[in-house]
Amino acid sequence: MPDDALLPLPRLLVEPVVRAALLEDLGRAGDITTDAIVPAGERMEAVIASRQEGVIAGTDAAAIAFALVDPSLSVAIARGDGARVAPGDTVIRLSGPARAVLTAERVALNLLCRLSGVATATASLVEAARPHGKARIVCTRKTTPGLRALEKHAVRAGGGSNHRFGLDDAVLIKDNHVAVAGGIVPAIERARARTGHLVKIEVEVDTLAQLEEALSVGADAVLLDNMSPATLREAVRMVDGRALTEASGRINRNTVGAVAASGVDLISVGWITHSSAIIDLGLDAA
């Protein structure tokens, strides 16, 4: 579970995502099922509850979905982002116009289930790595288009940390960049010549020989890609604190402990955002 430093995302960032999802769902004529069946003045109380164990994320997005459909709807968050839940635990309580509850239900649940799945997957890796070293679990840019900020927030809710948010906030020299540039050294030198003094430069390396090249020209961080735990230990020894070390490549709950034990600073995992399972949450009339 994350510490008290977990801050909510600004509404200005979340609302456009939620609004787009509602527009997609409401289409040209709105919720024709609910509008036909539920009287306009009907009110209801409901809860969103967990049907399995997990870590919650996305409560603000869910609350915004209900508020955008009807601002008079009362939305009370019982378990905030980062909270652990068990089957039956109430996450959100709702009270107000029944049409609003039923119309916003699916968008709210889609976001809440998806983001809670990301948080839960992250937490599983954080817990598995913790006894073995100092490494932080970090996400990648392998996110759902349009949901990056929300999914990266969910990673933080699960106790992980964020890698770069996009192509514009850090230099990450990958193998194809190296191939085009003609080598690691010229790639780093070109990047340093064209970027500001506050921009960090990380380079992906596949071998210890490439690592030596990256260190020779002062890379700020090295991405140690698809290395065995033994090779990672040797890489950490070679770096000796001169750069941040990041392990990457098909790391899961079964292997993350051995990777963390190598002494790396970071472990980056793409699947926590691109293919984690949702957490089953449901809305029921109270």
Side-chain angles (χ1 to χ4, degrees):
M1 182 172 176
D3 59 26
D4 292 337
L6 179 67
L7 298 174
L9 287 172
R11 183 179 177 118
L12 187 66
L13 192 65
V14 181
E15 183 172 321
V17 176
V18 179
R19 188 181 295 274
L22 286 168
L23 289 172
E24 177 183 62
D25 211 23
L26 290 167
R28 296 164 296 176
D31 184 356
I32 61 175
T33 305
T34 297
D35 291 348
I37 295 170
V38 179
E42 189 78 16
R43 297 180 65 83
M44 72 179 294
E45 294 187 355
V47 297
I48 293 176
S50 179
R51 293 170 178 165
Q52 66 181 96
E53 293 184 352
V55 178
I56 294 299
T59 53
D60 287 346
I64 290 171
F66 290 110
L68 286 174
V69 172
D70 190 333
S72 72
L73 189 61
S74 172
V75 182
I77 297 172
R79 299 284 201 285
D81 288 5
R84 291 188 174 275
V85 292
D89 284 349
T90 294
V91 178
I92 294 176
R93 296 185 180 90
L94 302 160
S95 178
R99 283 186 175 181
V101 173
L102 298 175
T103 295
E105 173 185 359
R106 179 43 52 200
V107 166
L109 285 175
N110 282 349
L111 291 167
L112 192 59
C113 293
R114 167 69 184 149
L115 297 173
S116 296
V118 172
T120 301
T122 303
S124 73
L125 287 179
V126 170
E127 292 161 5
R130 185 179 292 123
H132 302 284
K134 62 182 180 180
R136 290 180 289 154
I137 304 299
V138 300
C139 52
T140 71
R141 284 171 45 244
K142 296 176 182 177
T143 54
T144 308
L147 294 184
R148 179 169 295 173
L150 278 66
E151 289 177 347
K152 282 184 172 284
H153 171 79
V155 167
R156 298 195 299 277
S161 300
N162 294 149
H163 209 287
R164 59 178 180 163
F165 272 72
L167 296 173
D168 63 337
D169 61 343
V171 172
L172 177 49
I173 301 170
K174 304 279 283 184
D175 53 355
N176 287 328
H177 296 112
V178 171
V180 172
I184 285 177
V185 171
I188 294 175
E189 289 175 342
R190 291 179 194 178
R192 181 167 289 117
R194 292 290 299 274
T195 54
H197 65 285
L198 294 179
V199 177
K200 297 291 186 181
I201 297 175
E202 181 173 18
V203 61
E204 176 186 271
V205 298
D206 300 318
T207 67
L208 296 179
Q210 288 181 325
L211 172 61
E212 189 59 53
E213 286 185 72
L215 294 173
S216 72
V217 285
D220 299 299
V222 286
L223 193 162
L224 309 168
D225 193 43
N226 284 303
M227 292 184 178
S228 69
T231 305
L232 286 171
R233 287 193 295 273
E234 178 59 18
V236 170
R237 187 199 65 77
M238 288 173 60
V239 172
D240 193 27
R242 289 179 286 168
L244 278 174
T245 53
E246 173 188 343
S248 181
R250 301 179 180 85
I251 297 166
N252 57 44
R253 185 175 173 86
N254 294 326
T255 61
V256 71
V259 174
S262 70
V264 293
D265 300 302
L266 308 169
I267 300 173
S268 59
V269 186
W271 67 263
I272 55 176
T273 50
H274 72 60
S275 59
S276 58
I278 67 162
I279 292 302
D280 190 8
L281 302 155
L283 184 147
D284 296 298

